[in-house]
Structure formats: C-alpha cells, structure tokens
Amino acid sequence: MSDGLVIIPTYNEIENIETVIRAVFSLYTAFDVLVVDDNSPDGTAARVKELQQEYPALHLEVRKGKSGLGTAYVHGFKWAIARKYEYIFEMDADFSHNPADLVHLYDACHKGADMAIGSRYVTGVNVVNWPLNRVLMSYYASSYVRLVTGMVIRDATAGFVCYKRKVLESINLDRIKFIGYAFQIEMKYRTYANGFNIVEVPIIFTDRTKGESKMSSAIFKEAIFGVIRLRWKKMLNRL
C-alpha cells in the first residue's frame, strides 16, 4: 500500500480510463488509485474491474448515479481517510492533468506543504487547446475569487490537488455541498481559513481530446454565487 492515493472521478470515460490508470502506475513514485464512477453507461467501471486483475493497488467505488464531481471527491476523501492514506490527490481522467505531475505535487507536500495545487496560472497562463473564451473565463474566475475571499491563490478553480490527510480531517466533509468550480474553491477556502500551508506548483493544462466535457453554465453560476456565500459564512464564523 502506497502512502498516496489518487482519486479519479469518472462518468463516461471509457476512452480515457485505461490509459490514465496505466500512466499513473508507470510512475517511479508509487501511488494507489481509487476510481469513483457514477454508474457510467459506457462501461467505464467494467473496464476498471478488468484492470484490477492486473493492478492490486487499483480500487473502484461505483455509485448509483451521476451525482456531481464534488460529491464524488467527498466520497473518495472519506474512503481515503478511513484507510489512513497520508497524501490524497484529485485528478481528472481525461489527461487535462498530466499524471507525471503527480510526483511534483507529492514532493511539494512531502517537503512541507499541506495542500499542493497544480496551477495553470502561477507562472503565466499555461493552458493548451482551450478556446480563448474558456481561458479568460477560468483566469478571471480565479481573479474574482481572490478579490472576494482574500486568498492569494492564482488558480482557485484548479482540480489537480494534493492534500495531506490532516487537512481533510479538519474539514467537515458532510457540509461540502458544491459540485463544480465552487467545490474546488470551497476546498481551498476552507483549507486557507484553517491556516494550512498552501503551495502552487506550475503545470501545463491540456484540454481533453477524447470524451465530452462535463462543464455547464449551471456549474459556472454555482461558482460565481458560491464564492459570495463562502465569504459570508466566513464573516459569520460559520465556515
């Protein structure tokens, strides 16, 4: 058993899941992998079950239906905490996050960070294959988050993250309700509010080439108004 667990939430990722799993297990730093699948109709979970015969450190949790990214990660966090993993990662299945960068996030936490963020914007704008409007939306969303919350994080909506277990244990995961961008912001804000050391590690983000994006206008709106709710809760000491 590795001390690091990579949580990969999936819904209809049959085109990517095998390749990304093999990529993680090929790294020179050993990681366990947990796939949290929302009962994908395309057979994603079935393919993971087949790969479990080859990789003993590959784990699978299948939920009843599509319930959102945030709840998938919370499910994975609780699973990881119960099994005492020291370093717990969020990573997409679609190769927008380069599996090789897991090692850099791991090293950052191993050297003292409590949360390491794979950041697209800490050294400029490191995004490949995104249309300009999507880049601007993401970049200015992070600027908006900094303005409202006071966090000095360049990529507040990043979904490529390593947590030390103590960070997740300090957060009441049952109170996390957001599912998209707002979930990523909330996790960072709660970590920040609890006084943990947050480090941004530069990465190059590459948009998916296979499968379909799960982004929607509802997820974006959740982030815009969710940030205000988070700040308000912090002011009332209810965060």
Side-chain angles (χ1 to χ4, degrees), residues 177-178 225-234 239:
K177 301 302 181 184
F178 295 128
F225 296 106
V227 172
I228 297 173
R229 288 175 58 188
L230 289 173
R231 179 59 176 165
W232 182 248
K233 286 182 179 180
K234 177 69 164 53
L239 192 64

Side-chain angles (χ1 to χ4, degrees), residues 20-162:
V20 76
I21 286 171
R22 291 191 184 280
V24 173
F25 284 123
S26 71
L27 298 172
Y28 64 84
T29 300
F31 298 99
D32 288 6
V33 174
L34 171 65
V35 175
V36 181
D37 185 69
D38 278 2
N39 200 22
S40 299
D42 69 350
T44 298
R47 187 68 192 108
V48 175
K49 289 178 182 177
E50 293 172 358
L51 290 167
Q52 284 181 303
Q53 306 303 312
E54 185 176 347
Y55 298 110
L58 174 59
H59 308 280
L60 173 66
E61 291 281 289
V62 180
R63 305 197 299 168
K64 292 182 179 180
K66 190 176 181 182
S67 301
L69 181 71
T71 62
Y73 275 128
V74 168
H75 184 103
F77 293 158
K78 291 179 177 179
W79 193 96
I81 290 169
R83 288 157 181 82
K84 304 298 183 183
Y85 285 95
E86 186 61 31
Y87 304 98
I88 301 161
F89 298 78
E90 299 179 9
M91 192 180 80
D92 290 348
D94 60 8
F95 282 96
S96 55
H97 304 143
N98 185 345
D101 287 326
L102 288 167
V103 177
H104 303 306
L105 299 182
Y106 177 88
D107 288 345
C109 282
H110 194 67
K111 293 175 181 177
D114 299 310
M115 168 189 272
I117 301 169
S119 178
R120 297 164 289 188
Y121 306 127
V122 71
T123 57
V125 179
N126 296 316
V127 178
V128 178
N129 291 340
W130 256 8
L132 180 59
N133 64 333
R134 185 77 182 272
V135 174
L136 292 174
M137 181 179 72
S138 174
Y139 182 84
Y140 285 111
S142 285
S143 299
Y144 167 74
V145 172
R146 290 198 303 275
L147 177 66
V148 174
T149 66
M151 290 193 297
V152 287
I153 295 175
R154 303 298 300 180
D155 195 353
T157 63
F160 197 19
V161 182
C162 177

